Amino acid sequence: MPSPVVLVTGCTKGGIGYELCKKFSERGCRVYATARKVENMGGLKDFNCTLLALDVTKQDSIKECISRVLQEAGQIDILVNNAGLPAVGPLLEIDYDVAHRCIETNVFGVLSMCRVVGRLMANQGSGKIVNVGSIVGYAGTAWAGIYSMSKAAVHSMSDVLRLELKPFGVHVTVVAPGSITSNFGTASTGTIDIPENSLYASVAKYIYARANMSQGPASMPTDVFATKVVDGILAPRPPNYLTVGTNSWSFLLLYYLPNQIKDFILSRKLGINEVKAVTH
């Protein structure tokens, strides 16, 4: 039986995509690792991964990358849509360029990849699409509204794709990471810009803390996370949702709690109760 061909997006070193590629390769898969800059994936060649440039927000880049994979491997058995950008800041004040880049990459980038690869899989009568969402796709948090919105959209999109692609033998799984050790906290901090007249200047420390919330000492090691995900995806019948990582099940619980209770918990955790009223 030939090795499954796996295409993973967003494989920059230090992120979860990088570790997923290693684990897929260790399990005998033929792995194509992609990122905007090939040089940012250094080390994956040692794990027999093929490195390709891919910008999921550009149609030409998508077509060129997938064409290369098809020329070499003939098909794509597993697509992992992992490429994503953070966006941290109050919804009323976050920089629009940051917001647009986040939505364009996290939502339309995933959709663009699914539109091309999903059709290929439908034509071959089999395939697995894995869309990386987030626990904030279950329960949006203050100071990360744009990112939460983008991941909720990924969850919703995946639910529809799972229905629409089922007749063609294609399965769609959502991976909802909790707190996983990665470089995401540093990237998130870089998106923060609190203006002088911010409504939330009094809780700036909470906004910065939110950017690094997933990177505490209790965060799940990336290799442990990747092992759990790869095991689930390579199973004969992958789950519809894989919720993995520190705090993951608490956020899943928040999804089912009444809004009053959820708001109370998140307000205390994220400093909403300490926001000072604007004075004139």
Side-chain angles (χ1 to χ4, degrees):
M1 184 175 179
S3 301
V5 178
V6 183
L7 172 61
V8 186
T9 70
C11 302
T12 296
K13 189 172 185 178
I16 63 176
Y18 188 92
E19 199 67 32
L20 286 171
C21 288
K22 290 167 58 177
K23 295 301 178 183
F24 274 118
S25 182
E26 289 173 358
R27 292 290 299 274
C29 298
R30 183 173 181 177
V31 178
Y32 285 85
T34 69
R36 292 184 182 184
K37 296 181 179 179
V38 171
E39 58 268 28
N40 290 343
M41 297 182 284
L44 283 180
K45 279 188 176 181
D46 296 336
F47 291 86
N48 297 317
C49 298
T50 300
L51 312 185
L52 298 177
L54 172 62
D55 185 338
V56 298
T57 67
K58 293 183 172 19
Q59 298 299 317
D60 288 345
S61 179
I62 292 173
K63 291 177 182 177
E64 183 177 346
C65 175
I66 293 175
S67 176
R68 169 80 179 275
V69 176
L70 294 178
Q71 286 174 5
E72 294 184 2
Q75 65 186 59
I76 299 172
D77 299 299
I78 301 172
L79 166 66
V80 182
N81 282 310
N82 170 69
L85 293 178
V88 176
L91 273 176
L92 298 186
E93 299 175 354
I94 192 166
D95 183 90
Y96 248 34
D97 287 340
V98 170
H100 278 288
R101 285 196 296 269
C102 177
I103 298 296
E104 186 69 25
T105 301
N106 298 7
V107 180
F108 288 104
V110 171
L111 178 60
S112 295
M113 291 297 295
C114 287
R115 284 171 65 95
V116 179
V117 179
R119 178 172 287 275
L120 292 171
M121 290 179 172
N123 289 336
Q124 70 192 26
S126 65
K128 298 175 181 178
I129 293 177
V130 183
N131 293 332
V132 178
S134 171
I135 55 173
V136 298
Y138 296 133
T141 66
W143 322 136
I146 293 295
Y147 184 73
S148 298
M149 181 170 65
S150 74
K151 292 305 184 178
V154 170
H155 289 205
S156 180
M157 182 197 315
S158 301
D159 289 341
V160 174
L161 283 170
R162 190 170 55 253
L163 291 170
E164 294 182 347
L165 288 173
K166 184 177 180 180
F168 304 101
V170 180
H171 184 78
V172 179
T173 295
V174 174
V175 172
S179 297
I180 311 296
T181 304
S182 71
N183 53 13
F184 205 67
T186 301
S188 297
T189 301
T191 68
I192 299 174
D193 179 21
I194 302 175
E196 292 182 3
N197 63 343
S198 172
L199 294 171
Y200 306 99
S202 58
V203 291
K205 67 177 182 179
Y206 284 99
I207 299 175
Y208 279 96
R210 174 63 189 87
N212 288 283
M213 187 173 290
S214 66
Q215 299 306 304
S219 297
M220 177 179 283
T222 318
D223 64 326
V224 175
F225 165 82
T227 297
K228 291 179 179 293
V229 170
V230 170
D231 285 347
I233 298 306
L234 292 181
R237 293 187 177 181
N240 294 340
Y241 275 77
L242 265 169
T243 305
V244 182
T246 307
N247 296 322
S248 57
W249 288 103
S250 61
F251 267 76
L252 187 55
L253 176 62
L254 285 175
Y255 177 77
Y256 292 102
L257 287 177
N259 285 330
Q260 295 92 328
I261 298 175
K262 179 171 64 176
D263 290 354
F264 176 79
I265 294 172
L266 291 176
S267 291
R268 291 176 65 85
K269 177 72 173 177
L270 298 167
I272 299 297
N273 294 340
E274 298 182 30
V275 174
K276 293 182 170 56
V278 177
T279 56
H280 299 283

